[in-house]
Amino acid sequence: MQKKDELYAGKAKSVYATDDPDRLILLFRDDTSAFDGEKVAQLEHKGMVNNKFNAFIMQKLEAGGVPTHFDSLLSEQESVVKRLDMIPVECVVRNISAGSLCRRLGVPEGKDLDPPTFEFFLKDDERHDPMVNEYHIRAFGWASEDEVEQMKALTFKVNDILKQLFLDAGLLLVDYKLEFGRFKGKVTLGDEFTPDGCRLWDAATRDKLDKDRFRQGLGGVVEAYEAVARRIGVPL
């Protein structure tokens, strides 16, 4: 497979075209950012850890019946993925209160949420990813009613699979966000799953082992990512 032009450069990943019109190369860079790009840094080995972490999780999800864009690892920091027609919304599930939920609703951090909450957000950095609902999504033509229901069902299926995976390793899956797209007409997970896009706490101590370590200046970001990876069995 031949790597061609860069199509997109995000905050921590770059996407490249290939000689296969249905496949892309996803590069996990060592960059990290928070607060819509206001805080940025380069963290050595982060790209490698996230690439291998994501590959491991995607394979677990595929085995559990969740269609994903992941095809294969290509290098230490690159993976081959399917080219999707992306749906411009983020699906967020929260099992424990943290982050923006606490700020918006005035609830304390660390409250177990039963049932978990589900929220849609428009993927738009300039507008700070505003919350939207199913009516907005259908009215603006971002996705059909059936696609909305599929995204919800798949997001909760991911929760069922990964909550247990992490719990078995002594970790709590606090919350996470997912993006979906269409591949040959089928709704497909088109996002990474790494500690950059979810919150993970130690089940015993509730120590934060995710990107909040960077957001809150706690240090040891990559070390925390590596510790989580080792605990769930990611071969680094």
Side-chain angles (χ1 to χ4, degrees), residues 36 90 121-131:
D36 293 327
E90 297 178 344
F121 294 86
L122 177 64
K123 189 169 173 57
D124 188 332
D125 285 346
E126 289 186 7
R127 293 174 175 80
H128 304 289
D129 297 337
M131 186 186 292

Side-chain angles (χ1 to χ4, degrees), residues 98-116:
S100 64
L101 183 73
C102 298
R103 293 192 295 274
R104 282 188 283 117
L105 303 182
V107 298
E109 181 180 84
K111 176 180 173 57
D112 291 334
L113 303 175
D114 185 17

Side-chain angles (χ1 to χ4, degrees), residues 49-230:
V49 174
N50 275 356
N51 185 38
K52 294 182 178 181
F53 193 109
N54 179 67
F56 180 87
I57 293 294
M58 291 297 115
Q59 291 172 77
K60 292 291 185 184
L61 294 179
E62 287 277 3
V66 177
T68 81
H69 67 158
F70 177 79
D71 268 3
S72 62
L73 284 170
L74 184 64
S75 69
E76 289 284 279
Q77 291 183 230
E78 294 173 311
S79 289
V80 178
V81 298
K82 301 174 184 73
R83 183 194 285 262
L84 306 186
D85 170 25
M86 295 303 294
I87 297 169
V89 297
E90 297 178 344
C91 302
V92 176
V93 163
R94 305 177 193 272
N95 297 304
I96 300 172
S97 60
S100 64
L101 183 73
C102 298
R103 293 192 295 274
R104 282 188 283 117
L105 303 182
V107 298
E109 181 180 84
K111 176 180 173 57
D112 291 334
L113 303 175
D114 185 17
T117 66
F118 181 100
E119 297 164 328
F120 283 117
F121 294 86
L122 177 64
K123 189 169 173 57
D124 188 332
D125 285 346
E126 289 186 7
R127 293 174 175 80
H128 304 289
D129 297 337
M131 186 186 292
V132 295
N133 62 37
E134 298 173 33
Y135 293 92
H136 296 118
I137 295 170
R138 296 201 302 271
F140 291 112
W142 298 327
S144 68
E145 184 173 358
D146 182 59
E147 288 172 332
V148 167
E149 292 306 312
Q150 289 184 63
M151 287 192 293
K152 288 166 63 178
L154 287 170
T155 302
F156 278 116
K157 191 168 191 176
V158 168
N159 202 42
D160 291 339
I161 296 167
L162 296 187
K163 267 182 72 176
Q164 192 60 53
L165 173 72
F166 288 117
L167 190 59
D168 288 344
L171 298 162
L172 298 174
L173 179 56
V174 175
D175 58 32
Y176 58 92
K177 65 95 180 169
L178 297 176
E179 297 172 34
F180 292 88
R182 307 171 186 92
F183 184 70
K184 300 185 184 301
K186 182 178 183 180
V187 173
T188 300
L189 177 60
D191 205 355
E192 68 174 282
F193 200 103
T194 71
D196 271 3
C198 68
R199 285 187 172 88
L200 293 163
W201 295 350
D202 182 275
T205 65
R206 296 214 163 189
D207 286 343
K208 296 173 181 179
L209 301 170
D210 52 67
K211 194 175 174 181
D212 273 349
R213 299 199 68 82
F214 177 70
R215 295 186 187 98
Q216 300 174 14
L218 301 175
V221 178
V222 176
E223 292 83 356
Y225 288 20
E226 289 174 329
V228 171
R230 285 192 297 269

